[in-house]
Structures are given as C-alpha cells and as structure tokens.
Amino acid sequence: MKATPRSHAKYIKFGLYALIVILINIAGIRLFFRGDLTQNGIYSLSPISVKVAETLTEPLTVKVFFTRDLPAPHNTTEIYLRDLLGEYALNNQKYFRVHFYDVSPETEGVSEAARENQQMARDYGIHPVQIQIVEQDELKFKQAYMGLVMIHGDIVERIPTITTTEGLEYQLTTAIQKLNHKVSALLALDGNIKATLVLSSDLFKVAPYMNLKHLDQYPDEIKGVVDRMKAKTYGKLEFERIDPSRAGPSIEGLDDFNLLRLQWPDIEKANIAAGQGTIGMLLQYKDKTREIPLMRVVRVPIFGDQYQLTSVEELEDLINTNIERLININEDVGYLTAYGTLDIGGGSPLGPQEDGLNLFGNLLNKTYTVKPIDLKEETIAPGLKSMVIVRPIEKMSDYDLYQIDQALMRGTNLALFIDAFEEKMPANQGPFMSNQMPTFVPLDTGLEQMLAHYGVRIKQAVVLDEKCHRQVKPRQQGGGEQPIYFIPKIESANINKELDYLKNIKGLFAYLVSPLELDSERIAAQEVKAHELFASSERSWEMRDRIVLNPMFLTPPASDTEMARRPLAYLLEGTFTSYFKGKPMPEKPAEDDADTASNQPTEETAADADKPIETTDLSQIQDQGGFRETGVPAKIFVVASSKMLSDQLLDESGQSPNTMFVLNMIDALNDREAVAAMRSKEQRFNPLAPTTNSTKVLIKSFNMVGLPILVVGFGLLVWWRRHARRKMIQQIFAQ
C-alpha cells in the first residue's frame, strides 16, 4: 500500500512534536528558574547570603554528615539543608563545594565506607546526638549524625548539631563571613600566638587522690591539640609549658592571672607533704592575654569536692574561640562598665551572675567581641562602631558624659537600655519578710539630661497596659489568669514595619518600661530623623510617683482619659549637636584620697621643695580640633528598660521575637542591616490579628447560626430548581 501525502503529514507532525519535547527538556536542564512563593522568601537566599557566596575568592568546602532516612521532622531538615547549600553553590559554582557523606547508624550492616565517614565526622568534632523516634507505636531513641563543617584553606568552622531549619541560613552565612575574616586576620599577624600550659608537677603526686589518675599524660595531650591547631592557623600558634613547682624566670607574673590554685594538707599514708599547685592555660598575643580553665571543681553534697579536667575535644573549641577573641576576628562592641551597670556575663570567670545579662552576653559573643569600657580608667577608642549602656545607677561626672558625647560625635552608635527608677529591696529583709515589695527611686545619672538634649526624654513613670502578659494562677489560688500589667504585650500593629529588619517581628513583650517623649523642636534643630520602633496599645496608662507593682493591687484606671498609646523605643539617626556645645570643657575628676596619698612627695623629693620652680605662662597657647561641636552621622537606640535584656525575655537559640529584636538592633547599629533582616525572615511567631469583642461575637454567631441557614437555603434553592425543571418538562409533554 502506497503512503499518501496525508500520512506523510501525520508523521512529520509527530516528529515535530517529539523534537519540541526534547528541546524543552534540554532547555529545562540548561536553563531553569525557581520561584519562592513564601511571604518572606524562606526557601531562597537573602541578598547578603548571595553577596557572601559570590565574594568567595578561595575554595570553600562544606562537608555534611547527616544520617539518612530519619523520621520527621529531621528528614525535612536534611532536605532543607540540601536545598539551601545548593542555593549557595549556584551563586558561586567555582569556589563553593558541597559533599554529603553517608554515615549510616551503628548496625551490623554498616558499610566500611560509612565507618570511615563516621570516623571523619568525629575527627572534625561532629558527634552523634540522641533523637526520639516512634516505631510501631513505641517510643525509641536513636543515635544520628546531624552536623557539618566548613573548610576554608586550613581553617575549619563547624556546626555540630542541626536539629531545626530555623536560623540555619543565618548560621551558615555568618560562619562563612567569620572564615573570611579569620583567614585575613591570621595572615596579617606579625607574630605568633603563644599557648602556655601552666601546670605544677607537684599536682601529679596528689592527682590519684583527686580521681585524676592520668594527669601526668595531660601535658602531652594538650601539646598534641596545639600542634594540630598550629597547622590550621597557618603556623601562628606555638606551645610552651611552665611548671610553677620549679622556680625560674618563667613563673614571674603568674599571680596576675586568674588561674586555679589548689592547696592540700599532709597526706601521711602516701608520704606526701603539704603543698600547692597551679593549673590553667594562657593564650597570649603581644600585650593581650586570655585565660582558659583546665580544671573544674564541682561541689557535690555528701560526696564533697569533685575535680574534672577539660576534655581534649572541649579544649580545642575553647582555644579556637579564645583565639578569635584575642585577635579580634569579630567586630568590637563596647560595653560600659562601672556606675552600677549590669554585668554582661557571657564568659565571666565567676560564672553566670544572678542579676547579670548572661544570655545576652553569650548571644553577643557569637558574632561580636565585647569590649568592656570603664570611663574612670580609660577613654572610648576612636573607630569603635557601637557601644551598649545598660542601667547605670550612679551619678556620672561631666567628664564621663563628655567622653560618651564625643564618641557619638565621632560616629560611635549608642544602644541605651536605661531605667527611670532604681529598684531597691527593703533593708535587713529577713526570712519572714520575703513578701515585702521593693521601692523605686528615680534615677539621675546625667545620661537623662544628655539624651534629652539629643531629642528624647525619659518620663518618670512605668507603663501599664491592659494588653499584657497573663500569668496562669495555681489551682490553690482559684486558677484562672492574672494580668501582669507592667509586662505590656506589643502587638504587630504597634511595631515599626518601615525598617526591613523589623518587618517580620510580629510581637514583643516589654518589662518595667518607661514611656519616651520626643522633643520635636530639638529634633528639628538638628539634622536627625526619629523612628518610633514600638509602642504600647491604646489601652495603656502610666503609674507615677509611688510605684507599686504587686499584680494583686493593680487595676486599670476608672476613666478612659488616662488611656493612650505610648512610644516605648526610638531610633535616632543623623548628625547630632554636642551636649557640651557652648560649655567649658569638663575637667577630669580628682583621684581618690587613697590614690592621691600615694603621690605625696617623699623625703627625697621634699628636699627639692625649697628650690625655685620655673613657671611658664600657658595662657597664650590655643588648641583646635580636639572638640567636635557637630558630629558625623550616627545613631542612638533608646528603650527605658534594662529588663529587655534580662534572661527572662531572651532565649539561648536566638529565635524568640524579643531576642531577634535586640540582636537586630545591635546589628543595625553596626551597619549590618542586611544580616539583621536575614535573621528575622524566618520568624515563626505569627499571631492572629487582634479583633474587637463585637467582631468575635459576630463571627461566633455566623458559625453557629449563619452556616446552618446557608446550608438550608442552598438546599431549598436546589429543590426549587429541580421542581421548576419537572414542571417545565410536564408542560412540554402536556402539549
């Protein structure tokens, strides 16, 4: 049978369709795009992450050790991690490399390759973690690897545990930034970092009685750790050991450091005489020194003191962290000390302080180097980008205020968490007086007047709000909820959404906060712009004069005239005018009597007192350039509550709205707005929009009555249409 032109056309059409399908598939492989329909672009890289990936000029290798086939939600975490790392790689295919290693669980069927990968993970400091799984209606525990390491040159940065997708992009991007800074900082060192082990050999005698049988092997283990890290720090690390049990020039000056010193009595049964010993480690670079504890003393009831050595794995992390702080891998953030300010914690040798900012210090130390500043002993270094001041309670001299003012004029941004009142507990409060309430005394440190000059006044009051935290009362007290009016709940509508790094923060809690008042005239007189960051609700009021914060005695005012929305936090930015413009330059306060006494003339110098002293007229000498009347562009963040940094309102992971707000503001003051926006884009706190009681009643009534009426109405409509159709058919056939 002969083919017709029509059949030829059919074959040609089929061939064209097949060719088009093939070309579309090829184009899909070579040319593709992806879309992220989530509101905040959760599954896409932020602009700062893209920039960090694109600016890599040396290979960066990411080795991922993640156990496969884990149950939910860990399996979705692995998928998200793969996609996220793939996004980084797409933005720098030349230098960003990703490798996933099979680390099957420890079972009989584990392969030799998996065993090698597990050992590799442990060598990098990635250890399995215990997770809960449900199999056949039984709760079981399983060991799983969930971590990664980043290798840039010889420098290694690791994320040992990845159990959630929240904040993962932030961790990866900041880790890459840190690697870049670390490589540059190490290569720029003009000397070596000395790791000095201080260990008294006399301790070896009493070590068995302290349950430390292998203490004599500890120096070799530490030297091995330092030698391994030397290769990872471009040879900038060297090891030295000092034995305080042997006199010599090397032990001079050891008393200046806070190293652990132990004393023991005679141990007659072992023929060991009474003695003492020192153990610890010092990291030194030029005139900077950091101390690393090597032994912990744990006091256990009944059993007495227990002694624990720092493990080799933990020591490597401690050395690495302290090297970063020693050579300023992270940017400096100044923190004002003295004047009764709160201890920032986060590495204090005394451990966590009861009234300190422990969580804030730990979170800040992850991305910044906190630099304590005592204005009584030192000045604020030029070039410092930001400085944090938290709850000073002592009067500051004009000279101290002058230093802060001039630092602002030089461009140092200020973060002020200052209180309007000092909380004082009753004196001589005994065990039977624990229910006595504290008194609140108005504060006058001098910062208040200087801040008012810049354009913001702190009112001597505490904001109370009907929309507040509600504490669940125990059943013994009748149950229900107790409103805590002095912990206002800040709703999304009262948070500034014009700033990118605050857009995704949907709610906050304030705590013992005072209202702020903007001085429009002062703001207009300076080239300053004021951003209101958040405010209380329309149902808030102020408590003045006598402050009593017992929730049982607090009630909203009877009249609505006292109710109003009150600004609680401001960000001022622009060129400020100096607080000391037109004033004489303040003098440094005289030293204490104890210090001046040491400067009194001795007998040797007293003999010279009768000699005539040549004087010079210095009145004609003039100086210029030391004082700035108007500053360069800078920022001031102010909230009248130090409780915003308390451990009660922050969380260790950094994912709560309050924590994100605080860290984002610190980032914004250090010109890291893009990093701050990236941190908060995954904010999962999305409360429902507040509604009025009438709206709630309307919705409830509609659900209870309206929906059944709609269903009945729809049924009647269907019945009517069917009835009409039947009637129409009957009329047609009747004709």
Side-chain angles (χ1 to χ4, degrees), residues 614-645:
E614 296 183 4
T615 60
T616 304
D617 184 11
L618 303 179
S619 62
Q620 302 301 318
I621 299 178
Q622 299 180 356
D623 57 75
Q624 273 187 335
F627 170 69
R628 289 178 176 265
E629 291 187 348
T630 303
V632 299
K635 301 175 184 177
I636 300 176
F637 164 72
V638 57
V639 59
S641 171
S642 63
K643 297 290 188 181
M644 294 293 292
L645 298 180

Side-chain angles (χ1 to χ4, degrees), residues 599-613:
N599 295 326
Q600 295 298 322
T602 61
E603 293 182 0
E604 297 177 359
T605 59
D608 299 331
D610 297 332
K611 296 181 180 179
I613 302 175

Side-chain angles (χ1 to χ4, degrees), residues 60-117:
L60 185 144
T61 302
V62 182
K63 296 185 177 183
V64 184
F65 304 94
F66 216 104
T67 302
R68 296 179 180 177
D69 301 324
L70 291 176
H74 304 295
N75 54 351
T76 56
T77 301
E78 180 189 7
I79 295 171
Y80 177 81
L81 179 61
R82 286 180 179 271
D83 293 342
L84 191 62
L85 292 174
E87 285 282 300
Y88 283 97
L90 283 175
N91 287 281
N92 196 331
Q93 299 184 18
K94 183 177 181 181
Y95 292 121
F96 197 96
R97 304 164 184 172
V98 183
H99 299 286
F100 279 81
Y101 291 88
D102 178 24
V103 280
S104 302
E106 294 284 358
T107 59
E108 284 189 13
V110 66
S111 64
E112 186 62 31
R115 293 185 190 277
E116 294 177 359
N117 293 337

Side-chain angles (χ1 to χ4, degrees), residues 16 38 59 81 123 221 224 332 395 439 441 496 607 663 669 684:
L16 287 174
T38 57
L81 179 61
D123 291 341
E221 294 177 354
D332 284 344
K395 185 71 175 180
T439 57
V441 181
N496 189 339
L663 295 180
L669 296 180
R684 304 298 176 92

Side-chain angles (χ1 to χ4, degrees), residues 224-427:
V225 171
V226 175
D227 289 342
R228 286 198 304 271
M229 296 191 67
K230 183 177 182 179
K232 300 176 182 179
T233 55
Y234 299 97
K236 298 292 186 177
L237 191 64
E238 63 182 49
F239 178 78
E240 181 185 7
R241 181 186 171 188
I242 295 177
D243 185 358
S245 299
R246 301 176 182 176
S250 60
I251 66 171
E252 295 179 1
L254 285 181
D255 293 339
D256 298 334
F257 302 110
N258 187 27
L259 300 175
L260 180 64
R261 294 171 175 83
L262 301 174
Q263 293 182 343
W264 57 89
D266 292 329
I267 305 178
E268 298 179 357
K269 61 180 180 180
N271 197 24
I272 297 176
Q276 62 180 3
T278 304
I279 181 171
M281 193 170 191
L282 301 174
L283 279 182
Q284 297 170 301
Y285 176 68
K286 293 187 174 179
D287 58 343
K288 299 179 181 179
T289 303
R290 293 197 66 87
E291 303 153 359
I292 300 178
L294 296 180
M295 182 184 292
R296 290 184 292 269
V297 182
V298 181
R299 288 175 171 80
V300 181
I302 301 176
F303 296 99
D305 293 349
Q306 303 291 318
Y307 300 92
Q308 301 174 356
L309 288 177
T310 301
S311 67
V312 174
E313 294 81 6
E314 186 181 359
L315 180 61
E316 186 168 345
D317 288 341
L318 287 172
I319 294 176
N320 186 54
T321 300
N322 281 276
I323 286 177
E324 293 174 359
R325 298 180 185 176
L326 192 67
I327 61 176
N328 292 332
I329 297 296
N330 297 321
E331 193 169 354
D332 284 344
V333 169
Y335 186 83
L336 184 68
T337 60
Y339 314 102
T341 57
L342 295 175
D343 177 55
I344 196 170
S348 170
L350 301 177
Q353 304 298 302
E354 184 177 352
D355 60 344
L357 309 176
N358 305 303
L359 284 180
F360 177 64
N362 291 332
L363 291 166
L364 205 57
N365 275 315
K366 290 181 179 179
T367 49
Y368 295 97
T369 298
V370 179
K371 180 178 176 59
I373 299 174
D374 186 351
L375 295 180
K376 297 178 181 178
E377 298 181 358
E378 59 184 317
T379 59
I380 302 173
L384 185 67
K385 191 164 287 186
S386 67
M387 179 175 174
V388 182
I389 302 177
V390 183
R391 200 213 65 176
I393 57 177
E394 299 174 6
K395 185 71 175 180
M396 302 177 71
S397 67
D398 284 346
Y399 183 78
D400 300 331
L401 296 174
Y402 176 78
Q403 293 188 68
I404 298 174
D405 173 85
Q406 288 300 291
L408 178 67
M409 297 302 110
R410 294 193 299 266
T412 298
N413 301 320
L414 301 179
L416 306 178
F417 298 84
I418 52 182
D419 293 338
F421 301 93
E422 180 184 2
E423 184 177 354
K424 291 188 174 182
M425 298 302 296

